[in-house]
Amino acid sequence: MEPSPENDPSADLPDLPKTPAQKQRRYGPPIVTSTPQSNTYGAHAKDEVPQRASVLNRFLEDDVNDRVVLTLNDFATVILDLPSDWEVRENFDLSPESKAVKDAFEAYLKVAEAVPTGQGKRERVLYQPLANLLNTLRNGTGLVDNNMDEKMFYVQDPRPVLGALLARKPDLGGIYTQLLELAENRNLSTYLAQKKIVGVFWGLLLFFVEIKHRNGNFIGLSKGGITSSSSSFGLQSLYREQSGALSSTETSPQSNMPPPASATTSTSSGKEDMAGVTIHQSGGKDMTVEVEMSQLYEQKAEEELKEEENLTPTQGQRRTRIQCASYAKEMLSNGFIRNHAIGITADSDVFRFQYYDRSKVVESEAFRIVDEEWKKLFMAMVCQLNQLSSEKLGFIPNLHLDDFDYLRDPRQFAQDFKTNPEGLVGATYRFKCSDGYTRLFVIKRVLYRAEGIIGRASVVVEVECVCTDSGCQWHGERKVIKISFPSRSRPPEDALIREARSKAQSTGDLWALDHLPQIIDSITITYDESTVQGRLKAHLKEEYEERVMRVTILEKLHPLSELEDPRDFAQVFYDILQIHQWLYECVGILHRDLSSGNIMFRRKDGKIYGVLNDFDLSSRVQNMDKGPTSNHRTGTRPFMSIDLLNPKWEGGHLYRHDIESLFYIMLCLACRYMSPNVPTPEPRAYAAWFSGTNRQVFVDKYAFLSDPLDEAPPIQPYFAGFKRWLRRIHKRLRSGYKRRPAYSSEESSQPGIESDDDESSDSDEDDEDLDFDWNTLNKRASYKTMRSIMSSFQGQSLETRWASWNPEH
């Protein structure tokens, strides 16, 4: 018997966890505050999601809609760390009346005024003048010096940025000019040519600029005021000195000023058109840095611009925000590990700055650069952007720099960025471990990387320790490192795992150790007010979720894809059910994020043991009534229960929600894969769960659980043995959801899947049952029920690890 907590006579015992209730209705689920009422959910399963812009853009909707707007002054000081006394500092002493600055502004504005708005390809004539303007504002001259930290804006569109599976292309990008100097090295040019690396990749992009030409309407500031809606760097192609395609023109020694837009050069390689940005060098020489593009890219770019011509201001603003968020997403999800990303949007003479981190999307207010006061601040902000270190531009400070760092010297990579987005391979990171040693780890393989902007953004990599310290005993060893950005209020993953392992040893439940990950070390890095995250927390207070960077070093485990026998899959899933139950009942820990990526296995003495991994989102059950530990619901969308996909659900995260997740994991494996790691052809089963919006996934799963499954799910022959499991679990979930008592919206805002009067009348024991057990759907989704189904596979018993469990718990 599994009583609901409010009726459990043992509910006050500390070692008998319960789902907390802060309020109690006449009937219906208890209202708890452990799960926030938010439309922003956990990460999607990257390897399962079709790599289409239309799909991934949906995942950006919630992040963009939850944005906050700062005044331009606040954005400058909080985000860009612009000193409050910048107006009197020499390094920001750029006069709008200086010839270089004045010429650059006039050249851009002249083109912006001359070109009719909304004219498709004509919008692109703004790219070069704006790149020249921004480069001029870096230091007031536009000249390139030998400073290793010097940055430059260049024209990226229509050539996509490399290093991602999707072809994204901001109009302008920012890189270190040092990359151009490296191109003079003939050996480097040869290396890049051999690797077929052509273009900039996301790991090297420092910031981006998106350009529109709709008189401010696509930013939200029209002439009448506010509108209705408030891999590496391809040096052999970008710097073609070796091939002779570089355009280097002599100018008068007396004139080092940027040329007007009409004088900007654009060159051709003879076979493909080239987009160029003119760099003005000390000594009076100009060179045009080129971005190679094909007719295909050109055609796609024109089609996209043509689409924008018919958009309303409201539609244009939404599209622009999603575009910019998609660039930020790629910067945060590909290449080097970052804390945040920065961008600029320009719409004719209206501008806006954007910032993206793991907790918030922040925009500056829109402003016009023709306004003298705004112009001065804008100039200072662009100048400050050029002075920011790589750390302040978002790269985590642990990226190891040796001579030239990775942002300036792509020779240190062995990765073909054109065809493989795993730009982390070959990078070296430095971490100070708890034993006092500062260790260097070179990344050998990317095991998992979350997509998206807001959230934990977990990165799991296989590394090799390359320390030269004689005292380091890890030298040459392979480890697994997980870097994530969980909420600071969440209990640390390593503490929960160590608590569970200690409990197993103290109680004699040693079997549990085989099913828990082994933490080798854990490092937590916080953000104080010297960081942009710390300043945002101080400025936005409760509106900003405080996070930490957590580095967890673990033993190497094996993913599900390495299993070869269906029976081994079944044993692993049964193991996960048992360890999940033990954690909940004996340790008081609820995992709360079952997904295909969090179920691993280890081999020991010739046997396979399922391991429940990734406790970042886990909670101590006894603390789940003390308020939410995050501003976002937990879970991986395709595997989340329908309750947790419902924004009106107030019943908290129950253990049977994880059981439902386990069912979806097994279902998707059996129906979406022909064999381990071999996906079925498109269209794949249950595709909407991996590509739909929150509402779409909820509705689709609701329909699926309401369906009596007259037609069997498309289980692949390799996984045919799971048919009995899946049908029986589906039947019990369907029955449990359909027989939940109906209750009025006045008494609850949680609609769930309300019972059908005709169906519920078939069962007297469930009809209007005021004692309905919401925690287990009246035992239909209980541990006991699941064990009875999963303890055998194809007529043969599986190994029960926890034989002493209490069926009546």
Side-chain angles (χ1 to χ4, degrees):
M1 179 178 180
E2 296 181 78
S4 59
E6 60 268 27
N7 298 322
D8 185 358
S10 304
D12 293 331
L13 295 177
D15 57 346
L16 295 178
K18 60 179 182 177
T19 300
Q22 288 191 329
K23 303 177 184 178
Q24 187 61 49
R25 299 191 178 92
R26 186 167 62 87
Y27 53 82
I31 303 175
V32 302
T33 59
S34 62
T35 302
Q37 305 311 307
S38 167
N39 288 327
T40 303
Y41 303 113
H44 61 271
K46 179 176 180 179
D47 61 330
E48 295 272 10
V49 178
Q51 295 297 309
R52 296 189 295 269
S54 60
V55 172
L56 293 184
N57 284 350
R58 295 171 189 163
F59 294 101
L60 300 174
E61 289 280 359
D62 292 331
D63 296 346
V64 170
N65 291 337
D66 192 34
R67 64 187 179 277
V68 64
V69 179
L70 301 183
T71 66
L72 192 60
N73 276 293
D74 285 343
F75 193 98
T77 55
V78 175
I79 304 297
L80 300 183
D81 199 22
L82 184 69
S84 57
D85 60 345
W86 63 269
E87 292 183 89
V88 297
R89 291 202 180 193
E90 291 185 2
N91 52 336
F92 297 104
D93 187 19
L94 297 180
S95 171
E97 300 305 318
S98 72
K99 180 171 176 51
V101 173
K102 189 174 181 179
D103 286 352
F105 269 107
E106 288 181 353
Y108 171 71
L109 293 173
K110 181 178 180 180
V111 175
E113 292 172 0
V115 177
T117 61
Q119 293 297 311
K121 183 177 180 180
R122 295 187 183 182
E123 174 182 298
R124 294 169 59 193
V125 302
L126 296 175
Y127 297 172
Q128 185 67 67
L130 183 55
N132 289 342
L133 170 60
L134 295 173
N135 283 329
T136 299
L137 297 183
R138 294 171 309 152
N139 52 26
T141 66
L143 299 178
V144 175
D145 57 29
N146 293 322
N147 184 351
M148 190 174 179
D149 287 324
E150 187 77 12
K151 307 168 185 70
M152 60 161 278
F153 291 86
Y154 70 96
V155 177
Q156 175 68 41
D157 182 70
R159 166 68 63 179
V161 180
L162 303 178
L165 296 177
L166 283 177
R168 308 274 197 187
K169 46 182 179 53
D171 298 328
L172 306 184
I175 57 169
Y176 280 107
T177 56
Q178 185 70 26
L179 287 168
L180 305 178
E181 301 296 329
L182 292 173
E184 297 182 25
N185 185 313
R186 187 179 299 273
N187 291 332
L188 176 58
S189 297
T190 302
Y191 166 82
L192 295 171
Q194 291 173 344
K195 288 292 182 179
K196 298 180 181 179
I197 299 174
V198 180
V200 179
F201 82 101
W202 288 108
L204 295 181
L205 203 66
L206 304 178
F207 30 73
F208 67 85
V209 181
E210 182 64 18
I211 302 174
K212 304 298 178 185
H213 190 37
R214 297 295 290 266
N215 285 329
N217 284 293
F218 277 20
I219 287 184
L221 188 64
S222 64
K223 286 190 174 181
I226 302 298
T227 63
S228 59
S229 177
S230 295
S231 224
S232 132
F233 193 85
L235 301 177
Q236 81 275 23
S237 67
L238 295 174
Y239 187 60
R240 292 177 166 266
E241 201 167 52
Q242 303 298 333
S243 65
L246 173 65
S247 172
S248 179
T249 59
E250 295 289 342
T251 60
S252 170
Q254 292 82 13
S255 176
N256 290 330
M257 300 300 112
S262 60
T264 300
T265 59
S266 181
T267 64
S268 172
S269 64
K271 294 182 180 180
E272 294 189 278
D273 293 332
M274 308 297 296
V277 57
T278 301
I279 303 299
H280 310 284
Q281 298 178 291
S282 300
K285 291 185 177 181
D286 292 346
M287 69 177 183
T288 299
V289 181
E290 302 165 338
V291 178
E292 187 176 8
M293 62 185 181
S294 67
Q295 291 182 352
L296 177 61
Y297 290 131
E298 177 81 16
Q299 180 181 353
K300 287 182 178 180
E302 290 186 21
E303 290 173 354
E304 292 172 1
L305 290 171
K306 189 173 182 179
E307 286 178 10
E308 293 185 355
E309 293 180 15
N310 299 319
L311 297 180
T312 66
T314 300
Q315 293 171 330
Q317 291 169 42
R318 177 184 175 278
R319 181 186 177 108
T320 301
R321 282 193 170 97
I322 292 296
Q323 279 182 311
C324 292
S326 72
Y327 307 147
K329 191 275 295 183
E330 300 296 353
M331 293 171 70
L332 293 170
S333 302
N334 294 289
F336 306 107
I337 303 171
R338 306 195 197 204
N339 289 308
H340 60 267
I342 298 173
I344 302 173
T345 302
D347 184 353
S348 303
D349 66 339
V350 179
F351 282 66
R352 179 176 63 212
F353 286 82
Q354 294 98 228
Y355 165 89
Y356 309 82
D357 72 10
R358 304 306 182 182
S359 294
K360 208 71 175 176
V361 174
V362 181
E363 295 178 353
S364 77
E365 60 183 324
F367 62 96
R368 293 188 179 278
I369 60 173
V370 294
D371 182 285
E372 288 302 319
E373 290 304 313
W374 289 130
K375 179 189 290 187
K376 291 179 182 178
L377 181 53
F378 171 63
M379 292 167 56
M381 292 172 73
V382 175
C383 183
Q384 173 71 352
L385 197 60
N386 183 58
Q387 296 180 29
L388 293 179
S389 64
S390 58
E391 180 179 342
K392 290 189 174 182
L393 285 171
F395 298 91
I396 67 170
N398 310 85
L399 181 62
H400 178 59
L401 307 181
D402 184 11
D403 192 11
F404 291 117
D405 68 63
Y406 295 113
L407 302 174
R408 300 167 175 83
D409 189 353
R411 285 173 296 186
Q412 300 189 49
F413 286 91
Q415 196 75 27
D416 184 347
F417 298 105
K418 187 173 182 178
T419 58
N420 193 327
E422 296 182 354
L424 279 174
V425 173
T428 304
Y429 284 82
R430 180 193 299 268
F431 297 107
K432 185 174 182 179
C433 299
S434 57
D435 61 4
Y437 284 99
T438 298
R439 292 183 168 90
L440 290 178
F441 298 98
V442 59
I443 295 177
K444 295 296 185 180
R445 180 184 175 197
V446 178
L447 303 176
Y448 171 80
R449 189 160 193 180
E451 290 275 351
I453 298 176
I454 294 178
R456 291 179 300 153
S458 297
V459 181
V460 184
V461 293
E462 183 179 343
V463 301
E464 180 180 335
C465 181
V466 293
C467 294
T468 57
D469 193 321
S470 59
C472 177
Q473 298 179 352
W474 296 5
H475 181 77
E477 293 184 4
R478 293 286 183 103
K479 308 287 184 185
V480 171
I481 290 182
K482 181 175 76 173
I483 301 174
S484 61
F485 301 85
S487 170
R488 186 169 186 171
S489 59
R490 283 200 182 280
E493 176 185 31
D494 64 298
L496 293 174
I497 294 175
R498 288 189 172 108
E499 179 181 336
R501 295 184 71 88
S502 176
K503 183 77 171 181
Q505 292 171 332
S506 65
T507 60
D509 289 328
L510 300 181
W511 68 269
L513 298 176
D514 290 329
H515 308 281
L516 294 170
Q518 177 69 55
I519 300 290
I520 299 173
D521 202 358
S522 181
I523 308 152
T524 298
I525 300 172
T526 59
Y527 301 100
D528 58 28
E529 290 197 25
S530 67
T531 67
V532 60
Q533 289 80 11
R535 294 192 296 271
L536 270 173
K537 179 61 179 178
H539 187 81
L540 297 176
K541 297 181 171 55
E542 297 306 315
E543 198 173 356
Y544 184 81
E545 181 170 18
E546 193 172 10
R547 294 182 180 271
V548 298
M549 185 175 79
R550 187 157 289 137
V551 181
T552 308
I553 305 175
L554 310 104
E555 66 167 326
K556 183 179 177 181
L557 297 170
H558 301 278
L560 286 174
S561 59
E562 293 184 11
L563 291 172
E564 298 177 352
D565 188 330
R567 184 173 177 84
D568 288 338
F569 279 94
Q571 182 65 61
V572 167
F573 290 136
Y574 185 38
D575 288 348
I576 296 303
L577 176 68
Q578 294 176 80
I579 191 62
H580 189 281
Q581 180 184 9
W582 181 83
L583 285 166
Y584 183 75
E585 294 183 356
C586 297
V587 191
I589 292 176
L590 183 59
H591 188 273
R592 307 195 339 150
D593 186 25
L594 260 65
S595 70
S596 57
N598 292 341
I599 296 179
M600 311 287 283
F601 72 92
R602 64 163 56 95
R603 289 189 174 92
K604 180 180 176 183
D605 299 330
K607 291 186 177 182
I608 286 176
Y609 297 83
V611 178
L612 184 55
N613 202 31
D614 193 352
F615 285 66
D616 262 350
L617 298 183
S618 303
S619 293
R620 294 183 178 91
V621 179
Q622 64 182 1
N623 295 333
M624 288 175 63
D625 61 346
K626 297 180 180 179
T629 56
S630 173
N631 292 336
H632 308 102
R633 291 193 175 184
T634 60
T636 303
R637 184 183 279 107
F639 312 118
M640 288 174 69
S641 72
I642 57 174
D643 280 342
L644 297 180
L645 285 166
N646 186 347
K648 295 183 179 180
W649 169 257
E650 294 181 346
H653 196 127
L654 310 177
Y655 89 71
R656 55 116 169 143
H657 291 144
D658 282 3
I659 286 179
E660 188 175 334
S661 294
L662 182 58
F663 166 67
Y664 295 137
I665 293 167
M666 295 188 295
L667 179 73
C668 290
L669 174 72
C671 298
R672 291 172 59 84
Y673 287 89
M674 300 175 64
S675 61
N677 223 21
V678 180
T680 58
E682 296 286 351
R684 301 174 70 188
Y686 314 114
W689 301 357
F690 296 86
S691 62
T693 63
N694 301 324
R695 178 64 182 172
Q696 289 170 335
V697 177
F698 171 78
V699 170
D700 201 76
K701 285 188 175 179
Y702 168 73
F704 172 75
L705 287 181
S706 301
D707 187 350
L709 285 188
D710 292 332
E711 295 185 7
I715 297 174
Q716 299 301 300
Y718 180 91
F719 295 105
F722 285 91
K723 181 178 180 179
R724 178 177 174 273
W725 280 20
L726 295 173
R727 288 188 67 89
R728 292 183 67 187
I729 297 172
H730 176 274
K731 180 179 179 180
R732 281 154 180 75
L733 288 174
R734 174 177 176 270
S735 175
Y737 273 118
K738 291 185 72 68
R739 284 170 168 73
R740 289 202 300 193
Y743 51 94
S744 68
S745 58
E746 288 79 9
E747 292 181 334
S748 172
S749 60
Q750 190 280 324
I753 298 180
E754 296 183 356
S755 61
D756 184 297
D757 291 340
D758 293 336
E759 293 246 8
S760 61
S761 62
D762 293 340
S763 175
D764 293 336
E765 65 173 349
D766 287 332
D767 189 29
E768 299 299 331
D769 183 2
L770 304 187
D771 293 325
F772 186 89
D773 181 6
W774 289 80
N775 297 285
T776 65
L777 296 178
N778 254 19
K779 306 184 185 66
R780 290 176 175 84
S782 67
Y783 288 125
K784 182 178 180 179
T785 299
M786 292 290 285
R787 274 176 170 264
S788 69
I789 296 172
M790 297 177 61
S791 59
S792 64
F793 184 73
Q794 293 183 308
Q796 295 184 357
S797 296
L798 296 173
E799 188 167 349
T800 296
R801 316 291 190 182
W802 189 21
S804 61
W805 69 288
N806 180 9
E808 303 304 321
H809 188 279

